[in-house]
Amino acid sequence: MLKNQAAWLQTEKTKQVANCVVMVPPKEFRFNPQTALDNEFQSTHSYSVDDVRQLVMDEYSNMVKGLRKQGIQVIELDYPLGNIETPDAVFPNNWFSTTRDGGLVIFPMACENRQHEVRTDALIATLENAGRHVEFQEDMTAYLSKHAYLESTGVMVIDHINRTIYAALSKRCDREVLEDYAHRIGEYRVISFQTALPSGKPIYHTNVMMAIGENFCVICDEVIPEFERRFVIKSLAQGRQVISISLDQMNKFCGNILQLATINGDRVIAMSQTAYDAFSEAQRTQLAGHGKLLPFDVETIETIGGGSVRCMLAEVFLQSRRGRL
């Protein structure tokens, strides 16, 4: 009985991590004034557009190479330039997500120029070419007519093992759309909560303050009101090591990390070099117990775009038809 329970638990845990990600080259990257209205992680700069784009393409390319070297399948979604620039296309995890039963979900994004990042047909074709088949689609962009938004795994940090979605409510995370999504993917429980930065504004994306792996979670709980904080922490602590980070560490993207599986089934944790350096030695030791730490230098993307490594990775949970990854 105990062996069967252990086998079941191991099977359940594999649901949490993907072994494949979609990444999008930052060909049109620049400071986005539309997103800067509620993203306090963005900063202006004095570099030329061409210099910025060269820097971010180097950061992106090095990250792709580094992930592949570790045995992560990276699917690059390239696209032709159009009349409307998509400066934040490098953060694809905000407009779609995938499920293990073959689902592709398309989400309503809050900023008008980000809505042009949605390239569903190109994504499906690229996934198919990589051996990942989409069985069905769920399009939630009808909510745009209601000015209601849900920016995928930017605003939702999902515990697939316990079927729970954690979400910091904001303009980019509407409660109605959130509950609808939870129902569509199979009756997931929703734990939503308020947050407040020193400015009084809410966190724009939950995934900058929280990350969930198979046996650990990282959270900046001090931005959650006390009456909600206790409930969130208690829920996260069920079967996981809770690693609490400070506001300063959150601002250095320590919450914006992602556990992945390699072709051999090993675990790695992708993060930025900024985040790696900001973690304490004790915290790095704790995290290393859950997978090899993979820091990538994406300082330009972080500073100007206001997002980090996890934002650049859209997990692919679709099953492979090629008998690998």
Side-chain angles (χ1 to χ4, degrees):
M1 182 64 177
L2 290 176
K3 288 184 178 180
N4 289 339
Q5 285 181 330
W8 174 84
L9 182 61
Q10 185 59 36
T11 300
E12 287 298 296
K13 287 187 179 298
T14 62
K15 294 180 180 179
Q16 187 63 35
V17 294
N19 56 22
C20 175
V21 293
V22 168
M23 296 183 67
V24 180
K27 300 191 298 187
E28 301 173 291
F29 187 88
R30 59 174 171 79
F31 181 83
N32 188 348
Q34 291 187 23
T35 56
L37 294 175
D38 63 347
N39 181 349
E40 295 190 13
F41 292 78
Q42 289 179 240
S43 300
T44 55
H45 61 93
S46 58
Y47 299 111
S48 70
V49 171
D50 289 340
D51 286 345
V52 166
R53 289 181 181 167
Q54 183 59 58
L55 286 169
V56 298
M57 281 299 296
D58 289 344
E59 292 174 357
Y60 167 85
S61 297
N62 288 335
M63 186 169 154
V64 171
K65 292 175 185 176
L67 288 167
R68 286 176 172 163
K69 183 178 180 180
Q70 293 299 321
I72 307 296
Q73 183 182 9
V74 178
I75 300 173
E76 294 187 83
L77 175 61
D78 205 348
Y79 63 95
L81 300 182
N83 295 326
I84 299 176
E85 284 193 345
T86 54
D88 286 327
V90 72
F91 305 131
N93 78 309
N94 299 148
W95 67 266
F96 78 90
S97 71
T98 58
T99 62
R100 290 192 178 275
D101 60 349
L104 172 66
V105 186
I106 307 299
F107 293 88
M109 291 199 293
C111 297
E112 192 276 334
N113 62 8
R114 293 218 63 190
Q115 293 165 15
H116 294 280
E117 296 173 27
V118 178
R119 301 175 174 95
T120 307
D121 291 344
L123 173 61
I124 292 174
T126 302
L127 289 169
E128 290 279 355
N129 188 56
R132 304 279 176 158
H133 180 61
V134 175
E135 297 285 349
F136 64 94
Q137 296 180 53
E138 292 278 356
D139 190 339
M140 303 187 71
T141 56
Y143 278 105
L144 291 172
S145 64
K146 293 183 175 183
H147 304 288
Y149 313 108
L150 187 71
E151 297 192 343
S152 189
T153 52
V155 297
M156 297 183 293
V157 177
I158 305 177
D159 176 354
H160 293 288
I161 298 169
N162 296 306
R163 301 176 71 82
T164 303
I165 299 171
Y166 295 88
L169 297 173
S170 67
K171 174 185 177 181
R172 305 195 195 193
C173 182
D174 179 89
R175 192 188 300 271
E176 178 188 355
V177 194
L178 176 63
E179 294 286 352
D180 185 7
Y181 171 75
H183 175 72
R184 291 190 192 208
I185 65 170
E187 301 297 343
Y188 271 56
R189 178 175 65 138
V190 172
I191 296 180
S192 59
F193 48 88
Q194 303 294 330
T195 58
L197 294 168
S199 66
K201 291 183 178 181
I203 294 284
Y204 84 105
H205 274 168
T206 314
N207 74 3
V208 296
M209 61 163 288
M210 181 190 297
I212 294 178
E214 290 172 322
N215 298 302
F216 74 94
C217 64
V218 172
I219 182 171
C220 180
D221 54 292
E222 67 180 271
V223 299
I224 305 174
E226 185 176 355
F227 71 94
E228 292 181 302
R229 184 187 312 159
R230 295 174 186 171
F231 182 75
V232 172
I233 294 297
K234 182 179 179 180
S235 178
L236 287 169
Q238 294 178 11
R240 285 189 172 88
Q241 178 182 33
V242 178
I243 301 171
S244 181
I245 58 173
S246 67
L247 182 66
D248 181 63
Q249 287 178 309
M250 182 192 73
N251 289 333
K252 293 176 180 175
F253 296 100
C254 289
N256 200 242
I257 67 178
L258 184 65
Q259 186 184 40
L260 295 166
T262 71
I263 190 172
N264 296 319
D266 297 325
R267 298 315 189 239
V268 299
I269 303 175
M271 63 183 67
S272 71
Q273 187 66 52
T274 303
Y276 180 88
D277 293 340
F279 279 119
S280 69
E281 184 176 349
Q283 288 170 328
R284 286 195 293 267
T285 299
Q286 287 176 312
L287 287 169
H290 302 287
K292 181 179 180 180
L293 306 188
L294 297 182
F296 298 102
D297 182 0
V298 291
E299 184 179 3
T300 313
I301 293 172
E302 287 178 324
T303 303
I304 299 172
S308 188
V309 163
R310 195 276 173 265
C311 299
M312 298 168 65
L313 301 172
E315 297 147 288
V316 178
F317 288 105
L318 304 170
Q319 298 302 301
S320 173
R321 295 187 301 171
R322 296 181 176 176
R324 61 176 177 83
L325 279 178

